[in-house]
Amino acid sequence: MQMKKQKDVRISYWAAHATTIVSVSLVLLIIGIIALVSTAARRESHRLRESLEISVIMADSISNPQAQATLQTLQRQPFCRNLRLITREQALEAWKADTGEDLEALFGVNPLSPEITFTMPAAWSSPDSLRRMETVLRKVPGVEDVAMPGGDLVATMNSNIGRLSLVLGVIAAVMLIISFVLINNTVHLTIYARRFIIHTMQLVGATNSFIRRPIVWRNCCAGLIAGLVAAGILAVALALAPGAGFTQMGDIISWPIFGIIAAALVILGGMLCALTASIATTRYLRKDYSELFR
């Protein structure tokens, strides 16, 4: 008999909160997609900034050992990463591979100079930082020229990235507001069906906190389940993405980052459902019996 009663309780819980779980899951799924897109855009923009390459061209009189010493000097600079020395011989071989011309046979000597290439941290990818970087590099002994991305190119790239981040941020904020309204309406309808039970509990002497606590807890659990459902759908989509042709998705969005987003969805679902349940329950706790029919 007790087992049958517990089964009825479970069935009534799922029946009462099925609509809430499905609705909140869909809302959280959209929020999760926006979060993944925002994360992917931010990581990709960071990668693009750090992939910009600067070339330091040495003077003709600089030998390969001297160029190696210059490279060690540049390693101490905060804006230098992934430094690579291209010797005279390597530069000549690269020229032959690209153009098919043998400059050494043409001029009798190797006319190419050693070259040092490196990438920079994303924080240095601004026109002002590039100008400061060029000033420092040109003061290094033996440096003849510095080839780097134009300031206009970097400024345009940063402007586009900023606009994209702003648009995604606005969309995320709007979706959060819409999700709160939708979740509030869904939870409100669930509690509306129990408004007479709430009033009856008040009549027998139950305190507001005693009435509110289980309602908030049940809806919080529904929100947590909805968050798990949304996170599960996103996890399946992320796992199937490489097979669908999105081979770089795993590099852009790693599983640890996805875990943070999934945990945020679960917590957000529980918090929103608990908050809306508390607001709706408080509203009906303050109503008179005659107002319950409206």
Side-chain angles (χ1 to χ4, degrees):
M1 185 70 179
Q2 185 178 2
M3 184 180 297
K4 181 179 179 181
K5 183 178 180 181
Q6 292 176 350
K7 183 178 179 181
D8 292 340
V9 171
R10 287 197 297 270
I11 292 175
S12 64
Y13 174 83
W14 291 110
H17 295 87
T19 303
T20 301
I21 292 174
V22 173
S23 301
V24 176
S25 296
L26 294 176
V27 173
L28 293 177
L29 181 61
I30 297 174
I31 294 177
I33 292 173
I34 295 175
L36 290 177
V37 172
S38 301
T39 301
R42 185 169 58 253
R43 287 177 62 86
E44 186 64 14
S45 67
H46 189 272
R47 186 192 67 81
L48 287 175
R49 289 174 177 176
E50 292 195 338
S51 65
L52 296 175
E53 192 172 76
I54 293 92
S55 297
V56 178
I57 302 169
M58 311 302 295
D60 293 340
S61 58
I62 299 298
S63 63
N64 289 334
Q66 290 174 321
Q68 181 65 39
T70 303
L71 182 143
Q72 294 175 355
T73 300
L74 293 179
Q75 284 178 338
R76 295 191 290 269
Q77 296 293 339
F79 51 77
C80 292
R81 285 184 178 179
N82 305 317
L83 288 98
R84 183 169 64 95
L85 172 63
I86 302 176
T87 63
R88 295 175 180 274
E89 294 74 21
Q90 291 172 338
L92 182 62
E93 291 298 325
W95 182 275
K96 288 181 182 179
D98 292 339
T99 65
E101 297 180 351
D102 188 351
L103 295 179
E104 190 172 17
L106 183 63
F107 294 103
V109 293
N110 183 357
L112 300 180
S113 305
E115 185 177 331
I116 297 174
T117 63
F118 63 90
T119 58
M120 58 185 171
W124 283 81
S125 59
S126 66
D128 292 339
S129 298
L130 289 176
R131 283 192 291 269
R132 292 199 305 270
M133 187 189 309
E134 184 177 6
T135 301
V136 173
L137 291 174
R138 289 187 180 279
K139 291 181 179 179
V140 176
V143 173
E144 183 177 89
D145 195 13
V146 178
M148 60 174 53
D152 293 339
L153 172 64
V154 175
T156 301
M157 184 182 68
N158 290 337
S159 177
N160 292 335
I161 292 172
R163 282 197 293 265
L164 177 61
S165 301
L166 178 62
V167 170
L168 291 175
V170 171
I171 293 175
V174 171
M175 284 305 305
L176 189 61
I177 295 173
I178 294 175
S179 66
F180 179 80
V181 174
L182 292 177
I183 293 173
N184 180 65
N185 292 337
T186 303
V187 174
H188 179 80
L189 290 175
T190 303
I191 299 176
Y192 176 80
R194 305 187 60 189
R195 65 193 186 282
F196 291 108
I197 298 176
I198 293 174
H199 185 72
T200 302
M201 294 176 69
Q202 283 182 304
L203 293 177
V204 298
T207 62
N208 290 348
S209 60
F210 180 84
I211 299 172
R212 187 187 297 110
R213 190 181 304 113
I215 297 175
V216 172
W217 171 245
R218 291 191 187 104
N219 282 277
C220 179
C221 290
L224 294 175
I225 294 172
L228 290 173
V229 172
I233 295 174
L234 291 175
V236 172
L238 187 62
L240 296 178
F246 300 96
T247 54
Q248 295 182 344
M249 186 61 68
D251 297 330
I252 297 175
I253 302 176
S254 61
W255 285 108
I257 293 177
F258 173 79
I260 296 175
I261 295 176
L265 289 178
V266 175
I267 295 173
L268 180 62
M271 289 179 59
L272 287 178
C273 286
L275 177 61
T276 54
S278 178
I279 294 173
T281 305
T282 302
R283 178 181 178 184
Y284 284 108
L285 287 172
R286 295 174 179 175
K287 284 181 176 293
D288 295 331
Y289 181 74
S290 59
E291 296 176 322
L292 298 179
F293 293 92
R294 298 177 185 176

